[in-house]
Structure formats: C-alpha cells, structure tokens
C-alpha cells in the first residue's frame, strides 16, 4: 500500500530483529503491523491513519452496509470452520516461519476475534489481550476447533438478528483508538478474511486439500492488506 502511494519505506521483520521490536514497543506498539515515522507510529492495519501519519491523501471506498458485512463475516467463518475440520490433527502444531503462532492458535484466533466484535459492542471496549489468547486446553483437535467455530457463528447470528441499526453508530474504545460499530464490524470481517487467506496458504503448503475453494467473493469490497503476512 505505501508503495502505491509513492512512499519510500524500509520494511522490517521484527521477529528476526529484536532491536526493531524493542523500538516499536518504545513507541507504544506491542506488535505488528505498524508504520513508524520518527517517534510517531500507527498500530494495526489502519490505512486512514497511515495516510495521516505520512501526510498523503487517502480516499477510502465506501463501507459495505452492516447487514452485508455480517453476511460476509459468516461466509468467512463458515469456510474457516470447514477448512479446519479437514486439517489432520498432527498438523495443528505447525508454526509457519512468518508468525509465531501455531495453526491451531491461528484457527482459534479467527473465531475469537470475530466473537470479540459482539463482546466489544456490548462492553464498549476492545482490549488487545482478547486477540492474544491461545486456543484453550479444551480445544486441541480439528473437531473441537470446528465445533467452537460453529458456536461462535451461532452467537454472532443471534446478535446480528437482534442488533438495532443505531448500535453501529456507537463508539467502541479499542486498543488502537475509538471506532464506530460499523468501522469495527468492517475491521472484524477483513481481519477474519485475512487469516482465512493465510489458512488456505498453509493448507496448500502442508499438502492438505481444502474441502471447498477459498470464498474470494466474500472479500470483495473489504479493505484487506495486499500482503498475505
């Protein structure tokens, strides 16, 4: 994205550079993704704030309506659930070199970040610690992962059915700044979609045939990052 704006930058892999990670933390950024300029930094995938930090013009595409975002999120979670059920249990401990997170924890994370949307909407706050939770001890195999995903989908569907339109205009205090409910739902949908892309890539890397093609149509209109990792 930065290159498309004509911005020169130095990409840094903080997993292999402890000094760079320490510098990010000094700036108040606990983990990537982030963009830093001098002593200022923006944490998380946040193109509007990147543009503000860099002094460039950014025109975001219009957001999909909440009902459409909810439907897209459910499609993404359904595909995640089906894919995880197809992964042999021995592969769940696999950690790709790109991230210090096992396949099991990545799959759990997709569902947990989605559930975090309704938790945040109900509480009015979204702490980062919710996104750092590993899969609990009771979720060790692909069946348990899939079952957890089904429960999360059911909870989300119930919330969306009962949620009033004005709730999406309310503000949630997130760890990366205030967000409207509509903004948070869009972020939740593309965040889950980005990890689904990663899960499909990992399945291919491990020689696992997915039960269905990746639902690329569900990604249309969502501001997913260009890079996979």
């Amino acid at each position: 994205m930065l290159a498309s704006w004509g911005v020169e930058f130095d990409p840094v892999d903080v997993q292999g550079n402890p000094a760079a990670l320490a510098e990010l933390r000094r700036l108040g950024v606990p983990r990537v993704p982030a963009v830093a300029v001098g002593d200022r930094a923006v944490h998380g995938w946040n193109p509007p704030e990147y543009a503000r930090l860099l002094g460039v013009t950014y025109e975001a595409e219009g957001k999909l309506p909440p009902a459409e975002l909810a439907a897209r999120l459910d499609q993404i979670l359904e595909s995640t659930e089906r894919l995880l059920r197809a992964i042999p249990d021995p592969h769940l401990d696999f950690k790709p070199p790109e991230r210090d997170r096992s396949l099991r924890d990545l799959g759990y994370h997709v569902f947990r970040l989605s559930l975090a949307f309704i938790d945040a909407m109900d509480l009015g706050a979204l702490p980062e610690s919710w996104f750092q939770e590993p899969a609990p001890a009771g979720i060790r195999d692909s069946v348990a992962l899939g079952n957890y995903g089904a429960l999360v989908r059911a909870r989300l569907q119930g919330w969306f059915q009962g949620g009033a339109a004005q709730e999406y205009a309310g503000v949630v205090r997130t760890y990366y700044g205030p967000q409207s409910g509509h903004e948070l739902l869009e972020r939740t949908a593309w965040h889950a979609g980005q990890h689904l892309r990663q899960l499909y890539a990992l399945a291919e890397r491990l020689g696992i045939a997915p039960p269905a093609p990746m639902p690329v149509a569900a990604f249309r209109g969502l501001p997913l990052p260009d890079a996979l990792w």
Side-chain angles (χ1 to χ4, degrees):
M1 171 171 279
L2 301 187
S4 70
W5 293 348
V7 175
E8 295 184 3
F9 63 97
D10 295 320
V12 178
D13 179 6
V14 297
Q15 288 197 94
N17 190 331
L21 181 58
E23 175 63 11
L24 274 184
R25 288 175 174 165
R26 184 186 71 81
L27 297 174
V29 177
R31 60 192 176 98
V32 293
V35 172
V37 177
D39 284 334
R40 297 177 298 149
V42 173
H43 179 207
W45 176 252
N46 195 333
E49 290 302 317
Y50 293 168
R52 192 171 290 113
L53 175 69
L54 298 167
V56 300
T57 301
Y58 174 72
E59 295 183 5
E61 296 182 8
K63 291 181 179 60
L64 296 171
E68 180 62 23
L69 288 169
R72 298 290 187 89
L73 178 59
D74 187 62
Q75 292 173 46
I76 290 167
L77 295 183
E78 180 183 22
S79 294
T80 303
E81 179 189 339
R82 284 190 297 175
L83 178 59
L84 289 171
R85 289 184 187 277
I87 294 177
D89 292 342
H91 287 305
L92 293 177
D93 290 319
F94 172 72
K95 282 188 179 182
E98 293 88 353
R99 289 289 183 273
D100 186 22
R101 178 183 274 161
S102 70
L103 209 160
R104 176 188 297 104
D105 287 341
L106 178 58
Y108 174 79
H109 177 66
V110 177
F111 300 129
R112 182 64 184 97
L113 75 87
S114 302
L115 185 61
F117 168 75
I118 57 177
D119 290 341
M121 291 292 285
D122 290 342
L123 295 174
L126 175 63
E128 187 176 22
S129 59
W130 290 354
F131 290 169
Q132 297 171 334
E133 297 173 7
I139 299 180
R140 307 311 299 166
D141 56 36
S142 58
V143 171
L145 271 173
N147 290 345
Y148 177 67
L151 288 172
V152 169
R153 288 182 63 212
R155 279 199 60 190
L156 283 164
Q157 289 165 3
W159 193 94
F160 287 128
Q161 288 173 5
Q166 61 266 28
E167 292 192 61
Y168 297 103
V171 175
V172 177
R173 301 184 311 278
T174 79
Y175 64 90
Y176 51 87
Q179 293 266 284
S180 70
H182 194 175
E183 290 171 328
L184 183 57
L185 178 54
E186 180 188 59
R187 185 183 179 94
T188 301
W190 71 249
H191 191 172
Q194 175 71 352
H195 287 315
L196 178 59
R197 292 172 61 201
Q198 294 169 351
L199 286 169
Y200 265 83
L202 293 177
E204 181 179 9
R205 188 180 301 179
L206 294 170
I208 300 168
M214 186 164 57
V216 292
F219 304 152
R220 294 190 186 120
L222 297 178
L224 274 79
D226 296 328
L228 184 61
W229 299 98

